[in-house]
């Protein structure tokens, strides 16, 4: 929603709205309170452009340059007798490509992440040179009897990496990704059958687990929980709950709602922080949403503390980083808070925004906290990319040309995590683990992460700059999949210690005049807009602006405010 101050007079309707302090009392998140009010250096890059450039550059089978192209066709026909796309996990990974392991070692986290990311910034991945959406079917592992989406297409390459069939989050998260993609491509052949199979497997697994998720993984072929050298991952319950509730919203089967609630109860019953990798933010989102839609009473605050705090025991210290390292605010990024003083990862940071931003629709009292966290995360995440991180803080700046400006380092750490290499670099140190995966064989450039960079469209679909530096417009509907009908909804957080004015533009496609409701102040702040309005946001406060058809009757039912049968405020007072 960026537009110049000079065009303000072209608005047909312009309202100057002075907002009083919020009616909805804001609830802090302890870890976010420690983050910078205004991170420095402050530079918000165009994440939509980054995601579009990634798609254009990576999906080029004729790309020139050492280690390029980054994609190939896998014709092994696993699960479905048709070719599928292979995509490198990291630049130059010697296990991958058409000439290695029969071309069948590639990961759904990269492939599915790139499809979802591109879709969120407006591309139709089913109608490019190939139907890349349909090609995702090959990750649906029916040949091994699991009948769910997995990180690889077959067990033959399972031990090469990616945790296939032994590391629970790696088996659950591809299904979370798939359900998001299915929401956008519901007519894709075979997708409904696959989605129903996944829901059935997850529902039956939850029934078998019966409230006890303290296992390393679940064998969805034999339908029994398993324990191995990997510690228990009870936060898999968050992934089960998210997928099952999505299936309930899609298919209406009450068993799936029952299973989602059961999984959530299992998660909430944990005595210690069960965070392992990517799933806990979905638990926080799901708690807020199901409470709002179904009247349950799950503890959203507990899930958020587990998500952010870095108090995880199994995956020691996993959470959200806080700090300023040699003049660079790195707060808001996600990873280990303890490994070498802190080690943040790009994909984890991107993907945390997917559930946590739309959560605000259902739990508006977290608008300030999520707005502040996103400002920090969005600002710091540019530092994963070699063109934005100073060369003195990179392990291999001389090799950055191989990224073509669209591939980032896998992460950055407070100190190099290599035993003997890059030890003189000062924090933050941009690096990646690729060379450790195949010691002595994977090249240095495998520190550049294709699979993490593939998820840039999550930021790209959510984040837009306003004309006030540091005030972001966050689309709360972009990643709120399987939602009920909703009106356009945006979060703006003002990090400054004085009130700031933004120009709020009515979204394109609005029919007729628009009224604007602020879900934080819980009142209409503008009426009968045709183009836009000037909105004043108090110091370090938020507005959640919802564009509704003008002049419609307001109805209040069960503490929800509706207009034309569409919920506008889930917690109306």
């Amino acid at each position: 929603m960026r537009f110049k101050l000079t065009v303000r007079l072209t608005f047909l309707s312009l309202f100057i709205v002075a907002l009083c302090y919020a009616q909805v009392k804001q609830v802090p998140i302890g870890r976010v309170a420690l983050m910078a009010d205004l991170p420095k250096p402050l530079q918000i890059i165009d994440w939509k452009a980054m995601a579009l450039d990634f798609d254009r550059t990576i999906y080029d089978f004729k790309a020139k340059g050492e280690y390029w192209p980054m994609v190939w066709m896998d014709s092994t026909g696993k699960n479905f007798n048709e070719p599928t796309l292979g995509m490198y996990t990291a630049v130059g990974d010697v296990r991958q490509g058409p000439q290695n392991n029969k071309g069948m070692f590639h990961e759904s986290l990269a492939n599915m992440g790139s499809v979802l990311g591109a879709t969120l910034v407006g591309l139709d991945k089913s109608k490019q040179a190939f139907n890349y959406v349909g090609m995702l079917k090959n990750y649906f592992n029916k040949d091994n009897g699991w009948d769910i989406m997995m990180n690889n297409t077959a067990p033959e390459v399972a031990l090469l990496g990616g945790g296939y069939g032994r590391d629970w989050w790696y088996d659950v998260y591809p299904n979370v990704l798939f359900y998001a993609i299915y929401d956008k491509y519901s007519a894709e052949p075979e997708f409904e059958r696959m989605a129903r199979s996944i829901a059935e497997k997850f529902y039956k697994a939850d029934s078998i687990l019966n409230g006890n998720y303290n296992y390393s993984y679940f064998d969805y072929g034999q339908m029994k929980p398993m324990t191995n050298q990997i510690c228990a991952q009870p936060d898999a319950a968050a992934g089960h709950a998210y997928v099952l509730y999505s299936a309930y919203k899609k298919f209406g089967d009450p068993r799936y709602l029952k299973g989602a609630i059961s999984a959530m109860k299992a998660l909430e019953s944990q005595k210690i922080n069960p965070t392992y990798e990517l799933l806990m933010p979905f638990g926080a989102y799901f708690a807020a949403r199901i409470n709002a839609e179904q009247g349950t009473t799950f503890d959203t605050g507990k899930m958020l503390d587990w998500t952010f705090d870095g108090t995880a025991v199994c995956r020691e210290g996993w959470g959200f980083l806080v700090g300023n390292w040699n003049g660079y605010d790195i707060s808001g990024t996600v990873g280990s808070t303890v490994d070498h003083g802190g080690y943040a990862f790009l994909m984890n940071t991107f993907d945390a925004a997917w559930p946590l931003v739309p959560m605000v629709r259902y739990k508006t009292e977290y608008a300030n906290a999520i707005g502040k966290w996103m400002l920090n995360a969005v600002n710091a995440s540019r530092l994963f990319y070699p063109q934005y991180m100073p060369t003195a803080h990179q392990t291999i700046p001389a090799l950055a040309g191989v990224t073509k400006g669209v591939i980032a380092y896998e992460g950055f750490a407070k100190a190099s995590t290599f035993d003997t290499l890059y030890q003189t670099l000062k924090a933050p140190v941009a690096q990646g683990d690729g060379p450790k995966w195949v010691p002595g064989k994977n090249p240095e450039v495998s520190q550049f992460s294709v699979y993490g960079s593939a998820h840039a469209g999550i930021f790209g679909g959510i984040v837009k700059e306003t004309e006030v530096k540091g005030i972001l417009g966050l689309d709360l509907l972009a990643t709120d999949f399987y939602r009920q009908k909703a009106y356009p909804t945006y979060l703006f957080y003002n990090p400054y210690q004085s009130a700031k004015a933004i120009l709020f533009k009515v979204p394109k496609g609005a029919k007729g005049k628009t009224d604007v409701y602020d879900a934080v102040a819980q009142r209409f702040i503008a009426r009968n807009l045709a183009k836009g309005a000037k909105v004043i946001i108090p110091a370090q406060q938020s507005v959640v602006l919802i564009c509704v058809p003008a002049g419609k009757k307001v109805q209040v039912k069960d503490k929800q405010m509706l207009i034309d049968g569409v919920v506008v405020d889930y917690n109306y007072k």
Side-chain angles (χ1 to χ4, degrees), residues 147-165:
D147 292 320
I148 63 170
M149 301 296 283
M150 298 184 73
N151 196 37
N152 305 121
T153 61
E156 289 96 310
V157 292
L159 294 178
L160 293 176
Y164 179 104

Side-chain angles (χ1 to χ4, degrees), residues 173 176 238-239 242 264 278-287 351 354-355:
Y173 198 59
V176 174
Y242 181 88
M264 197 61 184
L278 281 171
L279 295 172
M280 189 58 72
F282 292 89
Y285 161 83
F286 177 70
D351 288 25
W354 161 2

Side-chain angles (χ1 to χ4, degrees), residues 88-166:
Y88 276 87
T89 297
V91 175
D93 193 321
V94 297
R95 305 166 299 175
Q96 298 182 306
Q99 306 304 320
N100 301 304
N101 293 298
K102 302 179 181 178
M104 60 188 290
F105 181 51
H106 42 86
E107 299 189 64
S108 69
L109 294 187
N111 205 334
M112 295 174 71
S114 70
V115 168
L116 177 61
T119 302
L120 291 173
V121 294
L123 299 178
D124 186 340
K125 294 294 289 182
S126 69
K127 295 180 179 178
Q128 292 185 318
F130 299 96
N131 180 359
Y132 296 114
V133 177
M135 286 181 176
L136 298 177
K137 293 196 302 290
N138 293 67
Y139 292 111
F140 182 77
N141 275 239
K142 62 180 183 178
D143 289 352
N144 70 355
W146 281 43
D147 292 320
I148 63 170
M149 301 296 283
M150 298 184 73
N151 196 37
N152 305 121
T153 61
E156 289 96 310
V157 292
L159 294 178
L160 293 176
Y164 179 104
R166 64 186 185 276

Side-chain angles (χ1 to χ4, degrees), residues 31 48 60 74 167 172 228 271 282 299 301 305 313-314 324 378 420 440 460 496 513 526 543:
R31 192 76 169 165
K48 180 177 181 179
D60 181 359
D74 171 2
D167 191 349
V172 170
N228 58 22
K271 303 302 181 184
F282 292 89
D299 190 342
D305 287 343
V313 177
C314 165
N324 181 290
V378 169
T420 59
Y496 294 95
K513 298 292 182 67
V543 293

Side-chain angles (χ1 to χ4, degrees), residues 179 192-204 206 240-264 286 290:
Y179 256 86
E192 180 177 341
R193 183 181 69 81
M194 292 160 55
R196 288 184 180 274
S197 173
I198 293 163
E200 287 296 316
K201 288 282 188 173
F202 280 23
Y203 174 72
K204 291 174 182 175
D206 178 78
H240 271 187
Y242 181 88
V243 167
L244 286 168
Y245 194 64
S246 299
Y248 168 69
K249 299 296 286 189
K250 178 66 177 179
F251 302 120
D253 190 326
R255 294 179 304 135
Y256 301 153
L257 174 60
K258 177 183 176 182
I261 292 173
S262 170
M264 197 61 184
F286 177 70
I290 196 170

